[in-house]
Amino acid sequence: MTDPRHYPATYKDWLDGARPHTWANAFAPVVAGTGAAAAIDGAHLGRALLALVVAWALICGVNYANDYSDGIRGTDDDRTGPQRLTGGGLAKPAHVKYAAFACFGVAGIAGIALSLLSAWWFILVGAVCIAGAWFYTGGKNPYGYRGLGEIAVFVFFGLVAVLGTQFTQAGRVTWVGLALAVGVGAMSAGVNLVNNIRDIPSDSQTGKITLAVRLGDAKARNLFTALALLPFALTIAVALTAWPALISLLAFPLALMAVRTVNSGAQAGALIPVLGLTGRAMLIWAVLMAAGLVFAS
């Protein structure tokens, strides 16, 4: 039976549903991991591109999955920020779910190819990543509703993405790779955290217990500050063995702008620009750090 409702989603709505402002969370770890691989003469452009497809498809998939799961639960009925495909009635919920799994399929295909070129057991890692992307807000007991979202982002888009990128190219990981993984993971988790700080009022009402809700507004903002600034402390550590890495400090003003906005007490829509600021700071930090490591190698 045909659904009589009209779903007016346009191409732009679907693009917005993929949340391009979060794509830095996918690009930064691959750039950083490739830089870490280059530092030990192991960079491989083809494998880097496959890793980029995996990370980008995963971030799009998790964004569509969140849109679908939050929408059918009613979490997005009263929220600050761009209108969602499902919660805003722009697209049929099933179609949003299909979009999520299509993205996961692309990530899976690219991930299998990358695994066969490097280490077969990365297929298992990829399966865990896809499951983590879906169950963040999907399923009967989503871990994103239990305050574990930022931890998952740190692990998947920080440790796994950066170190996985380095390993699939160079065949091993290094302490420099770990430092970059922690730095990218911290900022990536910060992007997620500030998004949840913005939604504390609506999430509290709908029972979505994010880390920001658990910590409360003030402590969540303090944690964001630590996450946003941690990469620059790591820059100093990396520079002790590769001084050109200091160029990544050029990203510090962007991170500082984000921190100042968050600590000014900004609420609701005033926090939206912080998402982009933090994402750009993370990507620029990763690009400059990788460039510094290549120069030093």
Side-chain angles (χ1 to χ4, degrees):
M1 184 174 180
T2 303
D3 193 324
R5 289 178 294 177
H6 174 62
Y7 294 100
T10 63
Y11 169 80
K12 184 179 183 302
D13 292 325
W14 282 101
L15 178 61
D16 289 343
R19 305 183 198 177
H21 65 269
T22 67
W23 290 358
N25 295 53
F27 301 152
V30 176
V31 171
T34 300
I40 51 175
D41 299 320
H44 188 287
L45 180 59
R47 296 182 187 184
L49 291 175
L50 280 173
L52 190 64
V53 172
V54 173
W56 176 73
L58 273 177
I59 198 74
C60 290
V62 75
N63 286 336
Y64 284 129
N66 292 349
D67 187 304
Y68 167 76
S69 297
D70 284 345
I72 62 172
R73 282 190 172 88
T75 309
D76 283 342
D77 289 349
D78 181 21
R79 67 182 301 279
T80 302
Q83 192 173 27
R84 294 288 181 239
L85 291 166
T86 306
L90 296 176
K92 190 173 183 179
H95 293 169
V96 180
K97 181 168 67 172
Y98 297 155
F101 279 93
C103 292
F104 293 152
V106 171
I109 293 170
I112 290 172
L114 182 59
S115 299
L116 294 177
L117 290 171
S118 53
W120 69 266
W121 48 267
F122 263 101
I123 294 175
L124 302 179
V125 175
V128 172
C129 290
I130 291 174
W134 174 253
F135 289 108
Y136 173 52
T137 55
K140 294 181 179 180
N141 190 30
Y143 65 85
Y145 281 45
R146 297 295 178 266
L148 299 175
E150 283 73 18
I151 294 175
V153 168
F154 178 82
V155 171
F156 291 125
F157 287 99
L159 301 183
V160 173
V162 176
L163 295 177
T165 297
Q166 184 184 27
F167 186 88
T168 55
Q169 294 180 50
R172 62 190 177 96
V173 297
T174 61
W175 77 266
V176 169
L178 179 60
L180 269 61
V182 171
V184 169
M187 273 198 170
S188 194
V191 173
N192 197 69
L193 180 61
V194 78
N195 188 66
N196 288 333
I197 290 172
R198 181 194 67 190
D199 292 336
I200 285 176
S202 59
D203 286 345
S204 299
Q205 292 176 1
T206 57
K208 184 177 182 179
I209 310 302
T210 63
L211 181 60
V213 171
R214 284 190 182 278
L215 292 176
D217 188 86
K219 290 182 179 178
R221 290 171 192 266
N222 290 338
L223 177 58
F224 173 81
T225 298
L227 292 172
L229 299 183
L230 177 59
F232 302 99
L234 293 170
T235 292
I236 305 302
V238 173
L240 294 177
T241 56
W243 68 264
L246 289 172
I247 193 175
S248 64
L249 292 176
L250 291 175
F252 182 72
L254 282 176
L256 187 59
M257 288 172 62
V259 166
R260 284 179 172 174
T261 300
V262 169
N263 287 313
S264 71
Q267 300 285 344
L271 285 171
I272 293 176
V274 177
L275 299 173
L277 275 174
T278 309
R280 287 193 295 275
M282 172 175 57
L283 183 56
I284 293 172
W285 182 81
V287 169
L288 294 178
M289 180 65 81
L293 291 173
V294 169
F295 184 83
S297 63

